[in-house]
Amino acid sequence: MINRPVGIFSVQTRSIETREKIIFAAQELFSKSGYESASVAEICSAAGISKGAFYHHFESKQSVFMELLADWLKELDAGLEALRGNSPYTPEAVVRMADILPEVITKAEGRLPIFLEFWAHAARDPELWKAATAPYAKYRDYFKGIIAEMNPALPTESPEGETAAMAVISLAVGVLLQGVVDPQAADWGKVGRESLRMLMDGMTRRSV
């Protein structure tokens, strides 16, 4: 009886390690060969596991990619919350969120081609496309809440609040893409901050 918890712990540890091996191998192969070219068999070979072990953890290659995307977004969420800290939602708090852009750009440099290829693939599958684009809806709602708290004239459920949230996301994605494509062209953290400040100034001046 004493050894039973240890055995269970060992099984759980091996399971976690196997899952991590799959994710790491998939990311490496997606980067080198592209999403379409990398096969489940190649991922298994690179991870040193059987196909049975792969399908125990993931339903498909697509689900591995979604896990990679989720992990990246978790890092992004943590960075946003850390930058905001415990301060209330204010225009300056939103502007400070741009400070995470340089780190995001650095991490996205090797991932962007994979994401673009996957989204092109997902566009042919309605269910997969819905899952792949779900983060946009999440961040749209996130910024709608922030904007509504900053300015009651832009309530969460209003068309104006929706448009304002989309404007913030469009700005962030645009700066991110430019930074990945041409990282040396500008101080992208500064560009993000100044652009967000201009946008926040316009939103906070809007009267009820």
Side-chain angles (χ1 to χ4, degrees):
M1 296 295 293
I2 295 176
N3 292 329
R4 190 174 180 184
V6 176
I8 293 173
F9 178 76
S10 297
V11 170
Q12 291 175 338
T13 301
R14 287 198 298 272
S15 179
I16 293 171
E17 289 175 348
T18 299
R19 189 179 184 87
E20 289 176 346
K21 285 180 181 179
I22 294 170
I23 293 171
F24 179 79
Q27 181 168 298
E28 290 292 300
L29 283 169
F30 291 161
S31 297
K32 292 177 182 177
S33 306
Y35 174 80
E36 293 282 3
S37 297
S39 66
V40 170
E42 289 173 325
I43 293 172
C44 291
S45 177
I49 62 166
S50 67
K51 279 192 175 182
F54 177 93
Y55 287 112
H56 174 73
H57 291 279
F58 296 99
E59 294 181 358
S60 64
K61 181 176 69 171
Q62 295 170 353
S63 61
V64 180
F65 178 87
M66 295 306 296
E67 183 82 3
L68 285 168
L69 178 60
D71 285 347
W72 187 50
L73 293 178
K74 285 178 186 175
E75 294 178 16
L76 179 59
D77 291 346
L80 288 174
E81 288 304 305
L83 284 171
R84 187 176 72 86
N86 296 320
S87 60
Y89 289 125
T90 64
E92 191 56 36
V94 176
V95 170
R96 283 200 304 273
M97 291 180 179
D99 290 344
I100 200 176
L101 276 171
E103 181 181 355
V104 172
I105 288 170
T106 299
K107 290 184 176 180
E109 285 179 12
R111 300 175 183 180
L112 183 61
I114 307 172
F115 291 154
L116 293 176
E117 184 182 0
F118 178 79
W119 283 319
H121 170 80
R124 301 189 291 272
D125 182 329
E127 286 301 313
L128 185 58
W129 180 254
K130 183 179 179 181
T133 56
Y136 286 103
K138 168 189 168 183
Y139 289 115
R140 184 176 65 245
D141 291 342
Y142 176 72
F143 282 107
K144 278 198 296 184
I146 291 175
I147 291 165
E149 186 173 327
M150 290 190 308
N151 188 348
L154 298 170
T156 302
E157 300 305 323
S158 69
E160 293 83 1
E162 182 94 8
T163 300
M166 288 182 176
V168 173
I169 294 170
S170 297
L171 189 155
V173 171
V175 174
L176 172 61
L177 287 175
Q178 290 183 82
V180 172
V181 172
D182 194 359
Q184 305 304 320
D187 179 343
W188 293 110
K190 181 179 180 181
V191 170
R193 286 191 300 275
E194 292 180 351
S195 300
L196 274 175
R197 183 168 282 110
M198 292 171 65
L199 189 58
M200 290 299 103
D201 286 348
M203 290 181 189
T204 53
R205 282 199 300 269
R206 186 185 176 95
S207 59
V208 180

